[in-house]
Amino acid sequence: MSGCTFQSNQALGEDADGGAIMQWLGGSELVGNHFIDNLAVGSGGALRSADAEVFVVNNQLRGSDPEAMRFSYDDVGLVANNTIQDSVLDGIRSQTSGSYVGTGPVLDIANNVITDSGRYGLYVTGRHRMTFRSNLIWASAEADLEVTEDWEEGPDNLYAAPALSAEGVPDADSPVVDAGLDMSRWFTQDIDGTERPLGGAWDIGAVELEP
């Protein structure tokens, strides 16, 4: 699924999950979409995923309630080059229950911008096998990272103001410019279809700055 706008959707039933999208088993590719002000009474204002194949890249997510993305159980895949802003609680959350006996989510979380979260930028509880590398996290209300299990943070994460426009476009002097990992094994464009990279390296976030 690509090029869509999901705005002001709500999952309102008791403990309802996935304000915009709920994926259980199977999974789908979410590429180059805009998620704006989506709400779930349960979890995953923009996206709730469980036991699914995950490919979430080049999306812009703003104003998600309670968190932008929630992963659990045997989710596996890639979460890369998304721009996540103004989540009511958490930017990205991963959670598995105490009785769960699997490995937990196996996710590569890379090149994402996560800013102005109402609680945590990344919140991980329970089992997981995730890598978290070359992301920029900034201005989380309580902590940029909150991880309750064994955790080894990946390299090159940034903790600095991202200097983005209201549309998520980085300024020329933004720390996200040329600071990302090469993800061309999986994709080669940004949210607008611009080829990556345009500078010496990939930019972090959904938008590649055009010189």
Side-chain angles (χ1 to χ4, degrees), residues 131-162:
T131 59
F132 189 76
R133 56 203 183 113
S134 292
N135 300 280
L136 182 146
I137 315 178
W138 181 248
S140 306
E142 296 189 23
D144 289 328
L145 300 177
E146 178 69 12
V147 183
T148 62
E149 299 294 312
D150 291 340
W151 171 261
E152 183 175 345
E153 184 181 350
D156 301 324
N157 293 301
L158 302 176
Y159 300 89

Side-chain angles (χ1 to χ4, degrees), residues 27-198:
S28 61
E29 294 187 357
L30 299 176
V31 180
N33 300 289
H34 295 267
F35 294 84
I36 305 167
D37 296 335
N38 296 288
L39 175 147
V41 170
S43 61
L47 170 65
R48 176 69 166 93
S49 182
D51 290 326
E53 295 182 5
V54 174
F55 190 79
V56 183
V57 304
N58 284 338
N59 299 283
Q60 290 185 325
L61 307 95
R62 298 197 307 271
S64 303
D65 187 358
E67 62 271 303
M69 305 183 199
R70 174 82 166 265
F71 301 101
S72 62
Y73 302 112
D74 292 325
D75 279 334
V76 58
L78 179 67
V79 180
N81 283 96
N82 301 286
T83 298
I84 303 170
Q85 299 167 292
D86 302 312
S87 301
V88 171
L89 286 182
D90 311 313
I92 297 176
R93 183 172 183 184
S94 170
Q95 180 178 23
T96 54
S97 65
S99 60
Y100 172 69
V101 296
T103 61
V106 182
L107 299 172
D108 186 3
I109 301 176
N111 288 4
N112 299 283
V113 173
I114 308 173
T115 69
D116 299 285
S117 301
R119 183 171 60 180
Y120 307 125
L122 175 70
Y123 184 24
V124 180
T125 58
R127 296 182 180 180
H128 67 88
R129 288 191 298 167
M130 297 193 300
T131 59
F132 189 76
R133 56 203 183 113
S134 292
N135 300 280
L136 182 146
I137 315 178
W138 181 248
S140 306
E142 296 189 23
D144 289 328
L145 300 177
E146 178 69 12
V147 183
T148 62
E149 299 294 312
D150 291 340
W151 171 261
E152 183 175 345
E153 184 181 350
D156 301 324
N157 293 301
L158 302 176
Y159 300 89
L164 304 180
S165 73
E167 293 74 33
V169 178
D171 295 342
D173 60 351
S174 168
V176 308
V177 175
D178 294 348
L181 297 168
D182 183 346
M183 309 299 288
S184 58
R185 174 182 174 185
W186 297 279
F187 61 100
T188 60
Q189 297 179 334
D190 75 354
I191 189 172
D192 299 317
T194 301
E195 290 295 323
R196 296 181 186 265
L198 292 178

